[in-house]
Amino acid sequence: MKIQAEALTKIYIQGEKRIHALNDIHVSIAENKFTAIVGPSGCGKSTFLRALSALEKPSGGTVTYDGEDIYKLTEKKRAELRRQKIGVVYQDYSLLPTMTALENICTPSLMDGRKPDLDYIADLAKTLGITDRLHHIPSEMSGGEQQRVSVARALVNKPAIIFADEPTGNLDKDSARELLDLLLLTKKEYNQTLLMVTHDPDIAAHADIVIRMDNGTIRE
Ligand SMILES: Nc1ncnc2c1ncn2[C@@H]1O[C@H](COP(=O)(O)OP(=O)(O)OP(=O)(O)O)[C@@H](O)[C@H]1O
Ligand SMILES: [Mg+2]
């Protein structure tokens, strides 16, 4: 699926203040490639990822998937698009606090009326090293474990596009590398487009394309 942003802007209003989080961004995301988004804290990376992943309506401009403006779709159609095409790893994990890891991982399948593929989930859990955490709720897990659960949840439906916001932010170097390997392997196996925000230069070095952001704009 071809993702394109045209004249994308996002302004947050906070009391009297207007925060220009995204400033006139034009970009095409290469299909079936790994694109890394890098830049200083507060430069708009998460906002950009949310706008591209149909999670947050921009203040101006368009985001199109295969030429279709995703923010012109009805809320229902957009939710359907998210369920069927997109997997998201949120910067704060956003796991459901009362559900176990396994229940969290199954959510995207259940929401889309699919039977969770328990074999695939077992494989993912094994690779991610969270097999013995599957029956625990998030508050009983470390940050890094929650992060890996959120990765499994993003991958479970084998979506066409994976959006990951700092998915290795809470992991040590070896675990970060293993997680990257998993994402690259799934990307290859299921022909996915991978878009990842990262602060880690070693991870960005593996990307096919690097988007550098500064102050709500793309520098290159
Ligand atoms: N919901 C919001 N309301 C008001 N301002 C916001 C909101 N979300 C983000 N911002 C502001 O928009 C700007 C961009 O934020 P964003 O979270 O996209 O940055 P980021 O590059 O992801 O930073 P980090 O690397 O720290 O995660 C910041 O100035 C931030 O304070
Ligand atoms: Mg962020």
Side-chain angles (χ1 to χ4, degrees), residues 7 14 18-20 32 53 77 81 130 148 155 157 176 183 189 197 201 205 207 215-217:
Q14 262 187 340
R18 291 159 66 84
I19 299 163
H20 290 256
N32 307 336
S53 58
K77 281 272 176 212
L81 172 83
I130 50 170
R148 283 172 281 159
L155 295 178
N157 278 351
L183 288 171
E189 196 152 331
V197 172
N215 246 323
T217 56

Side-chain angles (χ1 to χ4, degrees), residues 101 105 124-135 141 144-146 148-149 152:
I105 295 168
L124 287 174
K126 190 160 173 247
T127 311
L128 289 163
I130 50 170
T131 304
D132 60 350
R133 312 309 293 160
L134 285 178
H135 299 291
M141 288 183 266
E145 286 166 351
Q146 292 180 52
R148 283 172 281 159
V149 169

Side-chain angles (χ1 to χ4, degrees), residues 42 44-47 50 91 165-166 197 199:
K45 303 180 299 296
S46 295
T47 307
R50 284 198 301 273
Q91 191 167 13
D165 199 344
E166 293 277 2
V197 172
H199 273 121

Side-chain angles (χ1 to χ4, degrees), residues 10-14 17-22 37-50 56 91 165-166 197-199 213 215-216:
K10 179 75 193 185
I11 300 168
Y12 291 113
I13 314 259
Q14 262 187 340
K17 261 191 12 212
R18 291 159 66 84
I19 299 163
H20 290 256
L22 299 178
I37 302 172
V38 301
S41 183
C43 73
K45 303 180 299 296
S46 295
T47 307
F48 182 45
L49 208 69
R50 284 198 301 273
E56 189 166 284
Q91 191 167 13
D165 199 344
E166 293 277 2
V197 172
T198 184
H199 273 121
M213 287 187 71
N215 246 323

